[in-house]
Amino acid sequence: MDAIYSNATLDSELLVAANTGSFRFRDPISAEKFLFLMECLTYAIFTVGFVGITGNILILCTYWKVGFTDSINISYMAMAVSDLGCVASIVWSGLCWNPGFNSVVAIEARDVVLPTGGFATTAFGKITAMITAFISLERCLCVVFPLKVKTLITRQRTIYFIALMYVVHVLPTSLVYVVVRFEWHFSEQRNRTVLGVKYLRNPTEQTITDVLWVFHSLPLQFIPLIIVVVCTIFLIITLNRSARWRSGNSKGITEDRHRRNEPEISSGKPRASSKEDRIIKTVILIAIVFIVCSSPAAINNAVTRAEPEYRASGKYRKLNLFVAGSTACLNTINSSVNIFIYYKMSSKFKLALKKLVCLVD
């Protein structure tokens, strides 16, 4: 939560440093380079964000048409909602860092970015992480307990779990609006009245800040990541073992029929197993993208907690903010690519999406 109390002074420090050439902190990234890099990140976020917002809206509409016969479709749709919220909040945060936007709006965009975009990104990102962990764990249970999984994970329990994740992550994050106040004030630098943010520091607000610190602490970030990593490794091993068994079994049956001069007879079982394999492959792809895109953010937060000078009030603050912006771009990618995975792996989703966009009758 160091960023809560230091983010408001960042603009003035950067402007002073850029104009005078003197830096309060010995950051390896200069003020001018920092502003340039952040501007480049915003354009990357806008590009990926447009794809993400469009894609997640299409996912929601498509799964609404496909239906929820399979409980995993409920999870896919719930994840699309959190991904949409995550991408939208990241795009807004990127917009706040864009110099062109700052020059035309009557708000201190880089002051309001944290309460209006940063915390929403964190909340929706954690919901996506928990749903990804839930989906991965569900597939593992399907492998370990194939006959009991339908009673262990029902549609009703899936809905309850997802609703709980939204409540648990959204409510604590909304407490930030008790800590901050949006106020109009005159900006001498811009020579106009602008909307800014004031952070309250009385004991009650400090307690709320401490609660938010604990809630966004490392254990809650690493737990879903560890679950996804373990489940993904297990699913990959299971999928490879199943493929080798089917290959060997099919080869043995074919050779036996050739010896007996019997015609080959197709069976319906491979189709059923093929459907399960496609679901497992879909979950593995989602998990791998999540691991690749989320690990840098987790590592960056761990370094932030371990090294005081790397925090928002330390001498490497600009480096910290640039890395955080880069990880936000990765999170945007993570929340934007699922539509391509579903389209590639699910024939039912592919057909429904084509009908939705009028590519087929």
Side-chain angles (χ1 to χ4, degrees):
M1 290 294 138
D2 290 346
I4 290 182
Y5 299 124
S6 61
N7 192 65
T9 61
L10 179 60
D11 261 357
S12 58
E13 290 180 7
L14 290 174
L15 288 172
V16 171
N19 293 331
T20 65
S22 61
F23 301 99
R24 180 181 176 184
F25 302 117
R26 296 179 182 178
D27 202 314
I29 300 181
S30 66
E32 292 179 348
K33 185 183 293 185
F34 172 77
L35 292 174
F36 172 75
L37 291 173
M38 293 301 290
E39 184 177 359
C40 292
L41 276 177
T42 62
Y43 293 124
I45 288 173
F46 293 157
T47 303
V48 180
F50 174 78
V51 176
I53 291 173
T54 305
N56 283 298
I57 291 174
L58 289 175
I59 290 174
L60 292 173
C61 296
T62 303
Y63 273 117
W64 186 262
K65 292 177 68 68
V66 169
F68 307 104
T69 304
D70 297 327
S71 62
I72 196 169
N73 288 356
I74 300 174
S75 300
Y76 287 158
M77 191 164 182
M79 187 159 60
V81 174
S82 61
D83 282 340
L84 181 60
C86 186
V87 173
S89 57
I90 291 176
V91 169
W92 165 251
S93 299
L95 193 64
C96 289
W97 277 104
N98 188 277
F101 180 74
N102 275 270
S103 63
V104 298
V105 296
I107 60 174
E108 293 288 0
R110 292 171 189 169
D111 286 357
V112 305
V113 62
L114 191 65
T116 60
F119 284 99
T121 301
T122 301
F124 285 118
K126 287 182 179 297
I127 294 171
T128 294
M130 293 303 298
I131 295 176
T132 305
F134 177 77
I135 292 173
S136 301
L137 189 59
E138 179 187 21
R139 283 302 101 188
C140 289
L141 291 176
C142 287
V143 174
V144 178
F145 305 108
L147 301 179
K148 296 182 179 180
V149 70
K150 294 294 184 181
T151 58
L152 290 174
I153 302 180
T154 62
R155 294 176 69 253
Q156 191 174 31
R157 288 177 181 175
T158 299
I159 294 172
Y160 286 158
F161 173 80
I162 291 171
L164 179 64
M165 288 301 99
Y166 271 89
V167 171
V168 165
H169 288 88
V170 171
L171 283 184
T173 304
S174 63
L175 292 176
V176 68
Y177 298 107
V178 179
V179 179
V180 301
R181 294 287 185 274
F182 294 93
E183 295 181 348
W184 292 94
H185 67 274
F186 182 79
S187 173
E188 296 182 357
Q189 294 176 349
R190 301 175 64 178
N191 194 30
R192 65 187 298 187
T193 301
V194 295
L195 180 66
V197 171
K198 178 182 179 181
Y199 293 96
L200 305 179
R201 305 191 186 187
N202 61 46
T204 302
E205 278 71 26
Q206 184 61 49
T207 302
I208 294 174
T209 302
D210 293 339
V211 171
L212 290 173
W213 177 278
V214 173
F215 182 74
H216 294 304
S217 62
L218 289 177
L220 288 177
Q221 185 166 27
F222 274 98
I223 287 173
L225 184 60
I226 292 172
I227 292 174
V228 172
V229 169
V230 173
C231 290
T232 302
I233 293 173
F234 174 78
L235 290 174
I236 291 174
I237 294 173
T238 301
L239 193 65
N240 290 334
R241 185 183 300 167
S242 176
R244 287 196 301 269
W245 180 86
R246 282 200 305 273
S247 178
N249 189 49
S250 176
K251 184 178 180 180
I253 293 173
T254 302
E255 290 176 353
D256 184 59
R257 283 175 179 162
H258 281 313
R259 285 196 301 268
R260 298 181 181 182
N261 293 322
E262 295 178 355
E264 292 188 11
I265 302 173
S266 61
S267 173
K269 292 183 179 179
R271 291 187 178 181
S273 61
S274 178
K275 179 184 176 182
E276 289 299 319
D277 286 352
R278 282 199 302 271
I279 294 176
I280 292 177
K281 288 178 182 178
T282 302
V283 173
I284 289 174
L285 286 174
I286 293 172
I288 289 175
V289 172
F290 170 76
I291 293 168
V292 172
C293 294
S294 299
S295 296
I299 294 171
N300 184 58
N301 286 340
V303 175
T304 302
R305 302 295 188 271
E307 176 52 59
E309 295 298 337
Y310 187 66
R311 297 174 185 175
S313 57
K315 61 183 180 181
Y316 301 116
R317 65 180 304 178
K318 293 190 290 294
L319 177 61
N320 176 291
L321 289 170
F322 172 69
V323 174
S326 301
T327 59
C329 190
L330 288 176
N331 286 337
T332 309
I333 295 173
N334 176 59
S335 296
S336 303
V337 301
N338 284 349
I339 187 170
F340 303 108
I341 296 175
Y342 300 152
Y343 185 85
K344 177 68 175 178
M345 303 304 299
S346 174
S347 57
K348 186 182 294 186
F349 179 88
K350 184 176 183 178
L351 180 60
L353 179 60
K354 285 184 175 180
K355 288 182 178 179
L356 181 67
V357 296
C358 302
L359 292 180
V360 294
D361 295 331

